[in-house]
Amino acid sequence: MAAVPTRLVPLVSSPSSSRAAVQLPPSSITAVLNLSRSFRGSASRFRCFAGQTDFFTRLGRLIREKAKNDVEKIFSGFSKTRENLAVIDELLLYWNLADTDRVLDELEEALLVSDFGPKISMKIVDSLRDDILAGKLKSGNDIKEALKKSVLNLLTGKGGKTELQLGFRKPAVIMVVGVNGGGKTTSLGKLARRLKSEGVKVLMAAGDTFRAAASEQLEVWAERTGSEIVTAEGDKVKAPLVLSQAVKKGKEQGYGVVLCDTSGRLHTNYSLMEELVSCKKAVAKVIPGAPNEILLVLDGTTGLNMLPQAREFNEVVGVTGLILTKLDGSARGGCVVSVVDELGIPVKFIGVGEGVDDLQPFDAEAFVNAIFS
């Protein structure tokens, strides 16, 4: 390949050039020209994929950046958790070295009440105790900042990328899964709203073929967000077929993102969990490597009880991100930290209200500031 440009240059002689052009046999010239055309074609295809990669990368970053402007929503959404943890400020206000054990015991209790879980709470408190005894923390304010830093490190160390990972080609496919009543279809609708607000052409797939009103609910969201939707034609159509048809349509008609709803199911129901595997395979047959994201919706009011659900769904379909809903009505915000630490799956979105704009991209620093204000 390195010799090709060198041999091509003499073929184009300049009137002012004093050097004679190299004469190549016709067969060699044809071979070089074909190679050149092939290279240009490859470069063109690469630029197409690179442009789409840039589109999805910018989309993920833009959604996250806009979330930073919605800090007030996150702050108000975690008000109940913040009230539980307010006792920490009282404990640290008049802290002195002699009271260290009592203060740390009560701090640990406050973390447990907010559903940080025994493992996380002990880890945080033991770290604080070591730093106090080592003379690194010399005031209540130092302890408070060390506590926030410890929680932030837990979220960022194991959580991975919180931005949507949408691959390098259109359409990106996002499959949304979860148990009944967790807010799965509503979260999908709110996610469509966010994507549409960034100019993305969105197609919904009504893959919840078990619940009678599921398709109608998603159709309402499609209308509210200005999205297109693919629904089952007939009562006996299976979810994998609906998702497959939607992804084909998305591919053929140039959609940016296909959002696939699925039936809510208990994580203990083996046959229904296996259907998720079929849905995943059906999507991958249309676009190899899809779905780009499998987002598990978890009800934040269940606190640490969500962990068994998350483990089972992850084992069956390989969850890539979490959506935690209803956190505004719960004092169990600490479960966010426990889920990330236990499973190493990033939280991508959190639900902090009932409004259409209240599905917020997760920002670890904003979360920590909201619960420990």
Side-chain angles (χ1 to χ4, degrees):
M1 287 292 293
V4 171
T6 305
R7 296 183 66 185
L8 280 173
V9 172
L11 288 173
V12 184
S13 59
S14 168
S16 60
S17 174
S18 60
R19 184 174 298 176
V22 176
Q23 299 297 317
L24 293 177
S27 60
S28 298
I29 295 174
T30 301
V32 170
L33 290 174
N34 287 338
L35 181 59
S36 176
R37 292 189 190 103
S38 173
F39 177 78
R40 285 198 300 271
S42 300
S44 176
R45 287 193 296 273
F46 176 77
R47 282 196 297 273
C48 175
F49 285 131
Q52 293 185 14
T53 303
D54 187 52
F55 167 77
F56 285 126
T57 301
R58 284 187 288 107
L59 176 63
R61 288 175 181 169
L62 186 59
I63 290 175
R64 186 172 180 181
E65 285 299 318
K66 285 202 170 183
K68 293 182 179 180
N69 297 326
D70 295 332
V71 170
E72 190 60 38
K73 289 184 179 180
I74 297 175
F75 188 83
S76 61
F78 285 100
S79 59
K80 292 186 178 181
T81 301
R82 189 165 58 253
E83 288 170 10
N84 269 355
L85 296 171
V87 66
I88 293 175
D89 289 329
E90 298 174 17
L91 288 170
L92 298 178
L93 185 60
Y94 301 108
W95 169 83
N96 61 67
L97 192 59
D99 283 340
T100 296
D101 287 338
R102 177 187 65 80
V103 168
L104 291 181
D105 285 345
E106 292 188 34
L107 189 152
E108 183 176 355
E109 184 178 340
L111 295 176
L112 288 169
V113 168
S114 295
D115 256 19
F116 275 79
K119 180 182 174 182
I120 296 294
S121 300
M122 288 179 63
K123 183 187 294 187
I124 292 172
V125 169
D126 287 346
S127 176
L128 292 175
R129 180 179 283 108
D130 291 342
D131 287 346
I132 290 170
L133 295 178
K136 296 178 181 178
L137 307 177
K138 300 179 180 180
S139 68
N141 188 59
D142 288 347
I143 297 173
K144 174 76 174 289
E145 291 304 311
L147 169 62
K148 292 170 67 174
K149 184 178 179 181
S150 180
V151 173
L152 184 60
N153 288 341
L154 286 169
L155 289 170
T156 56
K158 286 190 175 182
K161 294 182 178 180
T162 59
E163 297 173 3
L164 288 175
Q165 304 300 302
L166 300 179
F168 61 90
R169 59 189 168 189
K170 295 181 181 180
V173 181
I174 300 174
M175 200 163 87
V176 182
V177 302
V179 300
N180 296 302
K184 176 175 50 59
T185 302
T186 300
S187 295
L188 187 148
K190 292 180 179 181
L191 179 55
R193 164 93 172 196
R194 277 205 169 267
L195 293 170
K196 288 289 290 185
S197 68
E198 303 304 335
V200 179
K201 188 178 180 182
V202 175
L203 178 64
M204 295 182 179
D208 187 348
T209 56
F210 282 96
R211 189 162 58 92
S215 291
E216 289 82 355
Q217 183 184 359
L218 199 62
E219 285 175 357
V220 171
W221 274 108
E223 186 175 346
R224 291 176 73 179
T225 60
S227 305
E228 296 294 320
I229 185 169
V230 173
T231 59
E233 296 181 2
D235 296 334
K236 296 184 179 180
V237 177
K238 299 296 184 181
L241 179 59
V242 176
L243 301 193
S244 176
Q245 289 176 341
V247 175
K248 284 179 182 176
K249 180 177 178 178
K251 184 178 180 181
E252 292 168 357
Q253 299 185 16
Y255 283 86
V257 175
V258 179
L259 295 175
C260 300
D261 194 15
T262 58
S263 302
R265 65 205 69 215
L266 289 174
H267 58 287
T268 53
N269 190 316
Y270 178 79
S271 60
L272 288 180
M273 291 296 283
E274 282 299 302
E275 186 192 59
L276 285 181
V277 178
S278 299
C279 288
K280 184 178 178 181
K281 289 179 179 178
V283 168
K285 284 182 180 178
V286 182
I287 300 179
N292 304 86
E293 291 271 16
I294 299 178
L295 302 180
L296 171 62
V297 178
L298 296 170
D299 184 344
T301 61
T302 62
L304 292 175
N305 292 326
M306 67 175 66
L307 283 173
Q309 298 174 24
R311 287 194 192 98
E312 192 65 33
F313 274 96
N314 189 41
E315 287 180 11
V316 173
V317 292
V319 174
T320 61
L322 304 173
I323 298 177
L324 302 186
T325 63
K326 308 178 186 179
L327 288 169
D328 57 309
S330 170
R332 297 177 163 187
C335 66
V336 174
V337 186
S338 294
V339 169
V340 172
D341 184 72
E342 287 280 334
L343 304 176
I345 301 172
V347 177
K348 305 242 170 177
F349 293 91
I350 52 175
V352 291
E354 296 182 359
V356 293
D357 296 318
D358 289 335
L359 184 70
Q360 295 291 313
F362 182 69
D363 182 281
E365 188 174 353
F367 167 77
V368 171
N369 290 331
I371 64 173
F372 290 115
S373 177

